[in-house]
């Protein structure tokens, strides 16, 4: 079963990532400033595509942003596309 985890270093750079059977199979790279969570890149291993793992990382990232009071700057093509397709779902955190 896929599990979403979060790691952040002392420079406030990190990732939401998916682990399955002890192996990392997906990653959403982020950075934090005082008020903004910037998403740089999202990637899922090709053999794991189509299982909704990118969406699970997106949901975890948005929940974290809401809990911490961050606005999200979606530089990542995947996240930006989701924000554009579902603006009503993300308008409270989307920094345009």
């Amino acid at each position: 079963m896929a599990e979403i985890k979060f790691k952040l270093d002392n420079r406030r750079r990190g990732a939401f990532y998916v682990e399955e059977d002890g192996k990392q199979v997906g990653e959403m790279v982020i950075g934090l400033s005082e008020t903004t969570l910037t998403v740089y890149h999202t990637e899922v291993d090709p053999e794991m595509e189509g299982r909704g793992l990118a969406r699970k990382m997106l949901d975890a990232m948005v929940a974290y942003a809401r809990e911490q009071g961050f606005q999200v700057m979606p530089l990542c093509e995947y996240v930006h596309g989701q924000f554009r397709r579902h603006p009503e779902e993300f308008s409270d955190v989307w920094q345009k």
Side-chain angles (χ1 to χ4, degrees), residues 19-55:
E19 253 186 27
E20 188 162 284
D21 299 324
K23 178 182 176 227
Q24 183 173 316
V25 296
E27 179 177 57
M28 177 179 284
V29 179
I30 62 120
L32 300 177
S33 71
E34 293 301 315
T35 59
T36 305
L37 186 157
T38 303
V39 183
Y40 296 104
H41 181 70
T42 302
E43 188 170 352
V44 174
D45 286 357
E47 67 271 10
M48 302 299 279
E49 289 177 358
R51 296 182 47 201
L53 299 179
R55 179 61 196 223

Side-chain angles (χ1 to χ4, degrees), residues 61-79:
M61 178 275 296
V62 169
Y64 178 81
R66 286 180 175 136
E67 288 167 11
Q68 302 298 317
F70 288 114
Q71 289 291 293
V72 176
M73 182 174 294
L75 300 182
C76 164
E77 188 177 314
Y78 169 75
V79 175

